Amino acid sequence: MAKFGYHGATAERIAEEAGMSRVTLHRRGVTKEAILAELSRRAIDSYRQALWPSLTAAGPGAERLRLALTALCEEAEANLSLLVALRTQTDALFHEPGPEAMTNSVFTQPLERLLRDGAADGSLRVVDFEEVATVLFNLVGWTYVHLRTGHRWKPERAIAHLVAISVDGLLPHVEEA
């Protein structure tokens, strides 16, 4: 799928890449949808593992959120070619069904927890945690993909700017004297 994109990954191409016939694929139940489902499962597992250290670390919520957003960028980097190839199919993976199509909670719940922790310890402002977690996931994840592929930024540069702007925008307001 990374090589041909979702629509270009025909049964013939999948069979050729796998070194078998289309008939063999069909008999084994290998479909484009099954491959996408497995890739999605692996990406979700990898994402959860990548964010786990930020969820279990000691320290203020703001710093742990920085760790989580950095991990989000690193996961996007690890799956960059696949994310680009599957752009037309990402709604099914990343969005919950429904009228507002919120981002799938498996991706936003870790960020929501860190936002709540940061608000509780005073290192972050109190916000609408669910909505801001959705904004953060999309802002950081998809902007990272764009900066890497459209602007050809190096990973370190994209991560530094995205994480700084995202977290700094959530810091408590300091009253000026």
Side-chain angles (χ1 to χ4, degrees):
M1 296 223 183
K3 187 174 182 179
F4 301 110
Y6 184 79
H7 294 294
T10 62
E12 292 81 12
R13 285 181 170 161
I14 293 170
E16 184 179 318
E17 290 293 314
M20 57 183 68
S21 73
R22 255 185 33 186
V23 173
T24 302
L25 285 180
H26 179 71
R27 276 193 222 133
R28 292 183 181 177
V30 177
T31 64
K32 194 167 31 172
E33 292 75 21
I35 292 169
L36 181 59
E38 179 60 19
L39 291 171
S40 298
R41 186 196 62 75
R42 289 180 186 187
I44 289 168
D45 288 347
S46 181
Y47 176 79
R48 284 179 173 158
Q49 289 177 353
L51 266 63
W52 186 248
S54 64
L55 293 168
T56 58
E63 289 309 310
R64 293 170 43 228
L65 182 60
R66 286 182 202 280
L67 290 173
L69 295 176
T70 299
L72 170 59
C73 292
E74 290 168 349
E75 282 298 297
E77 181 67 30
N79 295 290
L80 197 58
S81 60
L82 187 61
L83 287 168
V84 170
L86 296 177
R87 276 188 184 159
T88 60
Q89 298 302 308
T90 56
D91 283 353
L93 171 62
F94 292 112
H95 297 138
E96 303 265 351
E100 289 193 10
M102 293 295 279
T103 299
N104 189 320
S105 61
V106 74
F107 299 109
T108 58
Q109 281 180 342
L111 301 176
E112 186 177 337
R113 175 174 162 204
L114 294 169
L115 289 165
R116 288 180 189 281
D117 289 353
D121 69 28
S123 63
L124 297 171
R125 287 186 288 118
V126 174
V127 293
D128 182 321
F129 302 114
E130 183 181 7
E131 285 197 6
V132 171
T134 294
V135 169
L136 280 174
F137 179 81
N138 287 283
L139 171 74
V140 174
W142 292 114
T143 303
Y144 180 86
V145 170
H146 177 75
L147 290 172
R148 290 284 293 120
T149 61
H151 294 274
R152 310 266 191 272
W153 281 22
K154 299 238 181 266
E156 300 80 19
R157 181 180 180 194
I159 290 170
H161 287 292
L162 283 168
V163 172
I165 288 170
S166 298
V167 177
D168 291 352
L170 293 166
L171 297 176
H173 296 292
V174 179
E175 299 297 322
E176 293 188 34

